[in-house]
Amino acid sequence: MIEGLFFTFDSAFEMWAFRGASVALAAFLLGGLFLITRPEPEVVGHPKGLFVLFLAEMWERFSYYGMRALLIFYLVQHWLFSDSEASIIYGAYTALVYITPVVGGYLADQFLGQRKAVLFGAILLTLGHFFMAFEGSGGQDDPFIFIFWMALALIIVGSGFLKANISVIVGQLYDRTDIRRDPAYTIFYMGINVGAATASIICGYLGQTYGWQYGFGLAGVGMLIGLIFFVLGKPLLMGKGEPKDPARIAGGKEWLIYGAGLAMVLLCFGAIQFQEMVGYVLGTFGGALVLYVLWIAVAKLPSEERDRIFAAMFLIFVSIVFWALFEQAGSSLNLFTDRHVDTQGVNASMFQSINAIYIVLLAPVFAMVWQGLASRGLEPSAPMKFGLGVVQVGLGFLVLVWGATSVGVNVPTPVLFIFLIYLLHTTGELCLSPVGLSAMNRLSPAHMASLIMGTWFFASATGNFAAGLIAAATGAEGVGEEAGKQVVLDVYNTVGLYAVGIGIGVMIISPLIKKLMHLDTLKDDTIDDDLEGQSAAGLEAQEGGIRPATRPAE
């Protein structure tokens, strides 16, 4: 035990990780405050509104990932769900988080405008995160569990309204031909990952060391800070994100939209308790959506555009495989780290920060590599990158299985292999996530852009739900620690082998899929047809914040 100034730590590594995260969070907060309070209309070449959005998003991601790092442990250790039950709940929760942006984006585009939608979402998120701090005595018979279900529902719908729209406002601060757009999204992207990385360390440590209410409570405080920044920074947004037709929400109609949002909360309140509802929704509406897209492609599109839709649908189905395995991070892999890994005295939830840290370090490297290869005519096609991404997510599991078995199942797995699985999963993510959203934009006819992006998000949600089912298969309560560890490793070995095989298969047929994309006849008119916020694609797993929109930035 190491006594710090205010806290007690189990190891020096945990202490310095906590201090480093706290210093980084404070530095970005103070830096952002400094920039938005300058007298100049622009700072470091960008409008001050960008840094308002940066701070709001940083704290929103802090609250979301702070809660996410603790959620699976909270379900198992406090509410006393089995591993399998907790994994299904976790999968349903993350699936709903990636369905609601489609609805939130539509309501913002048609009625509220992005700013009011973000504000409404932030209020719901703040309430949801604070409700998470009411833990009661624990156990499924505790009536406080209904406050917990309501907290999750508020967070789900709040994320749908906020993440669907805040990155769109970033794009609206710049003309489409403004060369500052991509650097602006790079700055915004830093906010996402600073919030994600620091939250897993700080909230994870407090929640697992001092009590759930402290970890969840701090996440709620973070969301409240983000809300305050967004409200006070309204003048710096220069009127962007307002309703395109104010008459549509005049005369009290705006409150009907908010009422619809609260109705969504009640719907999610039921769905998160009866997770099979989520599976039915995904199966019914997702299947209908796919069939509708294919029908339009076959019946109404010329041959080249039809082929491109087929290629997009192929990539969408491959993405389900990737997300089903990648999203083990917050559920089964989190539990495995806690129970079976020599973490050197560090709380398992703190390891959720590794992916965000890797993203910050490696995203610029990947961008330079792709650009360098493209200049030589050697850049892999989008289908080839998808195959590489799936292979890497599978290899991550196989490396972990090899590391665990090489030292013996009865021996704690060296923590090095947790860093390695996250490394491989992050490099896989960088091959697939930004590439996928970009490909959806390029392959979709302008009049189908929203429909295809909606299908992409439904596929992401399906992957998250499937992740819960896979995680449930790793549950082995009552068989002893060593046997339970072997069950997890067997599941990881199986899914790892399947993923590598599927990824290799995708790579083999990638020339055929590339041919369906007809890249040689794509018109260079993306300035007019580009999706708002598309430049932000892939800044975090699945980037739920990129909303389909085809009208020009205002």
Side-chain angles (χ1 to χ4, degrees):
M1 302 289 287
I2 299 175
E3 293 289 339
L5 185 60
F6 299 106
F7 304 105
T8 300
F9 301 94
D10 290 330
S11 70
F13 182 84
E14 184 177 70
M15 179 182 69
W16 287 112
F18 182 87
R19 289 179 176 177
S22 301
V23 169
L25 190 65
F28 277 92
L29 171 61
L30 295 175
L33 279 172
F34 174 79
L35 292 174
I36 64 176
T37 54
R38 294 299 86 203
E40 302 86 1
E42 294 186 353
V43 288
V44 295
H46 290 275
K48 289 192 287 188
L50 172 64
F51 300 98
V52 171
L53 299 173
F54 169 95
L55 290 170
E57 178 70 350
M58 182 181 79
W59 284 109
E60 188 275 329
R61 290 292 85 184
F62 179 90
S63 65
Y64 178 82
Y65 279 96
M67 186 277 283
R68 178 181 180 267
L70 292 167
L71 181 56
I72 195 71
F73 300 123
Y74 193 50
L75 288 165
V76 171
Q77 298 171 11
H78 182 72
W79 297 118
L80 306 182
F81 287 101
S82 68
D83 287 7
S84 298
E85 292 169 332
S87 296
I88 294 293
I89 295 169
Y90 182 91
Y93 163 74
T94 53
L96 288 168
V97 163
Y98 285 102
I99 293 175
T100 51
V102 180
V103 181
Y106 175 81
L107 292 176
D109 196 39
Q110 297 298 318
F111 302 101
L112 291 176
Q114 287 74 37
R115 185 190 63 79
K116 289 184 176 181
V118 169
L119 179 60
F120 179 60
I123 292 171
L124 295 182
L125 281 164
T126 302
L127 290 173
H129 284 294
F130 277 125
F131 280 1
M132 289 290 291
F134 292 90
E135 60 182 63
S137 58
Q140 295 171 46
D141 295 330
D142 185 348
F144 272 78
I145 197 171
F146 292 103
I147 297 178
F148 168 68
W149 297 129
M150 180 56 68
L152 288 185
L154 286 164
I155 292 170
I156 289 165
V157 178
S159 295
F161 276 90
L162 189 144
K163 285 298 294 174
N165 296 291
I166 192 167
S167 61
V168 175
I169 303 178
V170 175
Q172 292 180 348
L173 291 173
Y174 302 86
D175 294 331
R176 285 191 176 274
T177 55
D178 195 326
I179 61 172
R180 300 176 299 170
R181 283 174 64 91
D182 282 354
Y185 275 114
T186 300
I187 294 171
F188 186 68
Y189 147 81
M190 289 297 294
I192 290 174
N193 285 285
V194 168
T198 56
S200 301
I201 295 173
I202 299 173
C203 296
Y205 166 76
L206 292 176
Q208 287 200 288
T209 304
Y210 292 97
W212 307 112
Q213 70 269 31
Y214 296 106
F216 292 131
L218 182 60
V221 170
M223 189 61 243
L224 180 60
I225 294 173
L227 173 59
I228 292 171
F229 273 122
F230 190 75
V231 171
L232 296 181
K234 176 186 174 182
L236 300 179
L237 298 180
M238 301 181 296
K240 302 302 182 183
E242 298 301 327
K244 62 179 180 180
D245 185 3
R248 301 194 71 177
I249 57 173
K253 296 176 183 177
E254 179 177 343
W255 293 99
L256 292 177
I257 304 299
Y258 298 142
L262 295 178
M264 287 173 60
V265 172
L266 293 177
L267 181 62
C268 291
F269 176 76
I272 200 65
Q273 295 179 66
F274 304 97
Q275 300 84 37
E276 63 272 13
M277 289 175 57
V278 180
Y280 293 142
V281 168
L282 290 171
T284 303
F285 288 96
L289 189 60
V290 168
L291 291 175
Y292 179 63
V293 170
L294 293 177
W295 176 77
I296 291 178
V298 172
K300 297 188 175 183
L301 296 181
S303 60
E304 287 194 356
E305 290 190 348
R306 179 197 63 211
D307 288 348
R308 292 189 187 112
I309 294 297
F310 288 161
M313 296 305 293
F314 174 81
L315 297 179
I316 284 171
F317 280 111
V318 173
S319 76
I320 295 176
V321 177
F322 179 86
W323 296 122
L325 301 187
F326 181 90
E327 287 297 332
Q328 297 303 306
S331 53
S332 69
L333 186 56
N334 217 2
L335 289 173
F336 182 87
T337 305
D338 183 56
R339 296 169 180 172
H340 307 302
V341 174
D342 179 11
T343 60
Q344 307 291 316
V346 178
N347 283 308
S349 57
M350 297 173 73
F351 287 88
Q352 292 290 292
S353 66
I354 298 174
N355 173 247
I357 294 171
Y358 279 151
I359 287 284
V360 172
L361 296 175
L362 295 176
V365 176
F366 270 71
M368 289 187 292
V369 168
W370 297 143
Q371 187 172 343
L373 290 174
S375 66
R376 297 174 175 83
L378 299 175
E379 183 182 12
S381 65
M384 178 64 74
K385 291 177 182 177
F386 266 56
L388 289 170
V390 176
V391 166
Q392 287 171 90
V393 79
L395 285 176
F397 286 111
L398 295 180
V399 166
L400 178 61
V401 171
W402 175 79
T405 54
S406 64
V407 298
V409 177
N410 59 336
V411 176
T413 302
V415 72
L416 168 66
F417 294 100
I418 295 300
F419 283 92
L420 287 176
I421 186 175
Y422 279 118
L423 176 61
L424 285 164
H425 284 193
T426 302
T427 54
E429 178 190 353
L430 289 169
C431 286
L432 184 140
S433 184
V435 174
L437 281 156
S438 177
M440 296 306 106
N441 181 29
R442 297 182 72 192
L443 297 175
S444 306
H447 65 281
M448 290 184 66
S450 296
L451 186 63
I452 296 301
M453 195 61 73
T455 308
W456 170 269
F457 286 133
F458 251 96
S460 300
T462 302
N464 275 269
F465 190 75
L469 299 179
I470 293 172
T474 66
E477 292 81 9
V479 300
E481 181 174 351
E482 184 176 323
K485 182 179 182 180
Q486 188 61 58
V487 170
V488 178
L489 293 176
D490 288 344
V491 172
Y492 283 178
N493 188 65
T494 300
V495 298
L497 290 172
Y498 271 106
V500 171
I502 292 171
I504 292 174
V506 172
M507 293 166 67
I508 291 173
I509 65 173
S510 63
L512 174 62
I513 306 302
K514 181 181 178 181
K515 187 176 180 180
L516 288 175
M517 296 168 72
H518 296 290
L519 298 176
D520 54 330
T521 58
L522 273 176
K523 294 181 181 179
D524 189 19
D525 57 358
T526 53
I527 288 296
D528 294 325
D529 294 337
D530 197 19
L531 293 175
E532 292 180 5
Q534 185 261 327
S535 298
L539 302 187
E540 61 175 314
Q542 297 149 295
E543 188 48 45
I546 305 306
R547 175 186 56 80
T550 54
R551 61 188 177 86
E554 298 170 350

